[in-house]
Amino acid sequence: MKKLLIPFLLLGLAFSVNADMNQHKMEAKKITGAFFNELKGELGKGMKAGGPVTAIGICNAVAPALAAKHSKETGWEVARTSLKLRNPANAPDAWETKVLKQFEDRRAKGEGPDTLAYAEKVEEGGQEYFRFMKGIVMPPAEKMPCLKCHGENIDPKTAAKLDELYPQDKARGYKAGQVRGAFTLKKKL
Ligand code: HEC
């Protein structure tokens, strides 16, 4: 009887670890969705109020503030990152760089934008973390205005404003369908 019990206990443990992972993943997805919706809302308001030049000013102040707000509210570290940055403060660490490259590979192999996510339990400096990333793929111009500020044909006034605020900007020249970056979330376990 005892011999049987041990495999069952191990199986039970494996299931509960998996259930925990799924729980964290669901929470991370929810936070990502809320953050993205608020970002799109603020961006839309800015675009309506005064086009891209006004919206850049809003993005510049609001995007980091929203990330900070979601981090404070949820206890997760919430941010955006990319391999081609606009704001150097959004730079990826080694784990994020690896996952961003993985997203580009998956995209190149034909994976759709909606499933581009990755979660892992990692150990850093003796502490365990749950880390999650959700890829951000450039939508076509008729769906969202992203390409106005990240695309190939940026209006000169918009480009001048970007030059002023982000002298090292690399986040231009994108085409619809390319991986622009990712939401990145991290929580202490
Ligand atoms: C009005 C211009 C504008 C539009 C439109 C715009 N962005 Fe941006 N984007 C910015 C600015 C400005 C930043 C830098 C924000 C900051 O300082 O954190 C940025 C940063 C980002 C980042 C963070 C990584 C980095 O490079 O710093 C991502 C990801 C991103 N944008 C994706 C998008 C997507 C997706 C859309 C469409 C839904 C979009 N952007 C539309 C101006 C714009």
Side-chain angles (χ1 to χ4, degrees), residues 36 39-40 43-44 46-47 51-65 79-91 136-139 143-150 158 161-162 165-166 169-171 174 180-183:
F36 195 26
L39 272 174
K40 278 190 289 195
L43 185 69
M47 294 293 277
V53 177
T54 304
I56 291 167
I58 293 179
C59 248
N60 168 258
V62 165
R80 291 186 303 168
T81 190
S82 175
L83 293 174
K84 277 173 64 187
L85 289 166
R86 174 145 295 164
N87 185 344
N90 296 329
I136 302 171
V137 173
M138 274 281 108
K143 272 204 172 165
M144 278 185 235
C146 316
L147 290 168
K148 283 200 160 55
C149 296
H150 295 293
T158 307
K161 185 73 185 172
L162 288 172
L165 288 170
Y166 304 97
D169 186 19
K170 294 199 174 61
Y174 281 94
R180 164 68 188 95
F183 291 99

Side-chain angles (χ1 to χ4, degrees), residues 4-57:
L4 265 177
L5 203 58
I6 291 168
F8 271 117
L9 281 176
L10 286 176
L11 199 67
L13 192 69
F15 269 122
S16 71
V17 168
N18 240 336
D20 270 1
M21 285 290 279
N22 279 335
Q23 186 70 35
H24 296 317
K25 218 190 280 181
M26 270 164 55
E27 208 182 311
K29 278 187 184 162
K30 216 172 114 189
I31 298 167
T32 307
F35 182 28
F36 195 26
N37 277 337
E38 282 180 43
L39 272 174
K40 278 190 289 195
E42 292 298 327
L43 185 69
K45 270 194 251 167
M47 294 293 277
K48 239 188 187 162
V53 177
T54 304
I56 291 167

